[in-house]
Amino acid sequence: MANGVQRDHECCVCHPGCLGRPLSGRHIHMIRLFSILACIGIGGGFGALAREGTMSLMHGIIGLPAFVSLAFVNVFGSFLIGIIFGSLEGHLNRDGTSRLKQAPHHRHLHQLPWWPNGDLTQPAVDLLQARITLQTASAISITGFLGAYTTFSAFSLLTVQLLQSGQILNAIISVVGSVCLSLLMVWIGLHVGVRIAFRKSLTGE
């Protein structure tokens, strides 16, 4: 009988006899996994289109060299990822586990009463909802959109092609410029994102 009850709880939610019965932990995990994968896929599709559009504009229409156009894509994407990560983590992650604790930018959040140990006044269901929103938004915008918008593989291929064609100086400019500027723009983006999160938290948005 116990095995029968267990099977009932783990049966497929789509089965007519299962309607209204609780889902097992395995089913909940699978639903969350496929939801996140769907978000990544949607964001990734738009990110790839945005990258192709940016490259076509800068290289095909404006006439900039391909390595300059690709460097712009990666640097701009790095700036965006800093802003989005900082704003999402700083505003939505209120359970005391924010990854911003490891970055010096978090000092801007110390004026908030719930930082850095979390908001103990919020109900657990609200904290859970905020975490789900954080995971969904991160999957769409960071892993999906910006993961497809920026491209390390194309950057590596283009750099090798520059070296093979004897354009040593352009290859050096591409590598040093892309890496250094991308790191700098992530840093600046984090600063901007944390300030956005701080203002949102103050206004209660």
Side-chain angles (χ1 to χ4, degrees):
M1 179 63 68
N3 291 337
V5 172
Q6 182 66 23
R7 282 195 296 269
D8 283 344
H9 283 290
E10 293 184 354
C11 60
C12 178
V13 69
C14 298
H15 192 280
C18 297
L19 296 178
R21 296 182 180 179
L23 294 173
S24 67
R26 182 181 62 184
H27 284 129
I28 294 175
H29 176 74
M30 292 300 295
I31 290 173
R32 290 180 61 186
L33 174 62
F34 283 114
S35 298
I36 293 297
L37 290 177
C39 291
I40 293 173
I42 293 171
F46 283 105
L49 290 173
R51 171 163 55 88
E52 184 62 27
T54 304
M55 289 292 296
S56 298
L57 172 65
M58 301 192 68
H59 179 58
I61 298 178
I62 299 178
L64 293 175
F67 75 92
V68 174
S69 303
L70 188 59
F72 173 83
V73 166
N74 287 331
V75 170
F76 182 61
S78 299
F79 178 61
L80 291 180
I81 202 171
I83 292 178
I84 295 173
F85 176 80
S87 60
L88 290 178
E89 278 286 321
H91 182 56
L92 293 176
N93 197 339
R94 299 193 179 190
D95 59 5
T97 62
S98 176
R99 289 170 288 179
L100 284 175
K101 289 181 178 181
Q102 303 171 3
H105 305 78
H106 71 80
R107 66 181 182 274
H108 299 294
L109 299 175
H110 277 284
Q111 301 178 48
L112 299 175
W114 52 268
W115 182 267
N117 297 319
D119 190 352
L120 301 179
T121 64
Q122 277 198 331
V125 65
D126 291 344
L127 292 176
L128 177 61
Q129 183 61 46
R131 175 159 288 277
I132 293 174
T133 303
L134 172 62
Q135 291 174 344
T136 303
S138 297
I140 294 175
S141 59
I142 296 178
T143 309
F145 183 86
L146 291 175
Y149 182 74
T150 57
T151 169
F152 185 78
S153 56
F155 160 71
S156 301
L157 176 61
L158 188 58
T159 302
V160 170
Q161 290 175 337
L162 290 173
L163 291 172
Q164 290 176 337
S165 62
Q167 302 181 55
I168 308 299
L169 180 59
N170 285 342
I172 294 175
I173 293 174
S174 176
V175 172
V176 176
S178 293
V179 174
C180 293
L181 286 177
S182 292
L183 291 174
L184 176 63
M185 294 310 290
V186 168
W187 184 273
I188 295 174
L190 272 173
H191 178 79
V192 174
V194 170
R195 297 303 293 264
I196 292 174
F198 175 71
R199 292 181 180 179
K200 282 186 176 181
S201 298
L202 285 182
T203 58
E205 296 180 3

